[in-house]
Amino acid sequence: MSAVDAAVNIHATAVVVGEVGLLITGPSGSGKSALALAIIHACSSNGTFARLVADDRLWITVKAGRVIASAPAPIAGLIEIRGTGVVPLPHIQSAVLHHVLAPLGPERVPEEARMTFQDGVSLPIHPLRYGEPAVAIATLATSLGLFG
């Protein structure tokens, strides 16, 4: 197996909106799962396709210059809702990622910030306020043209 085919397990959540893969990063408790659920709910409300890839842990591979997220088998189709527990949710096994969402912190993120993966393949980072899902979704709709 070459470095390009090597899978890396990371702490993150991934969803697909239409054909756009979103990697949601951040420390434990930052709201990754809540943001993923809010995105999926917003899409279901307006008829836009959205699915969970995986919550909390992801396999990341780089193939043909594309970053691919896959659900680890033990947690496929499961998402944690804080205060409720782990619940099943429709999901897809894997998806090509296009953007990285990062929690907005006190530091300013450079406008051209990117997350780099194997072989130097990178994706743009979009800082969002995870604790304000409506604002995050409005930002994604405006900046990325998501949600129909």
Side-chain angles (χ1 to χ4, degrees), residues 48-143:
T48 301
F49 175 84
R51 285 290 183 275
L52 175 71
V53 177
D55 180 46
D56 196 46
R57 302 301 305 180
L58 298 166
W59 287 111
I60 298 291
T61 54
V62 175
K63 292 184 181 176
R66 298 176 353 159
V67 180
I68 301 167
S70 300
I75 62 169
L78 300 174
I79 190 164
E80 183 176 4
I81 300 175
R82 193 166 299 280
T84 298
V86 178
V87 298
L89 193 69
H91 77 289
I92 59 174
Q93 182 56 39
S94 62
V96 174
L97 298 175
H98 300 91
H99 301 277
V100 176
L101 309 182
L104 185 61
E107 69 285 346
R108 180 161 166 72
V109 177
E111 287 186 31
E112 296 297 319
R114 298 184 72 80
M115 179 180 273
T116 303
F117 299 88
Q118 297 117 328
D119 294 340
V121 176
S122 67
L123 298 174
I125 298 173
H126 305 275
L128 297 172
R129 293 193 187 283
Y130 286 9
E132 302 171 12
V135 173
I137 288 169
T139 302
L140 290 171
T142 306
S143 65

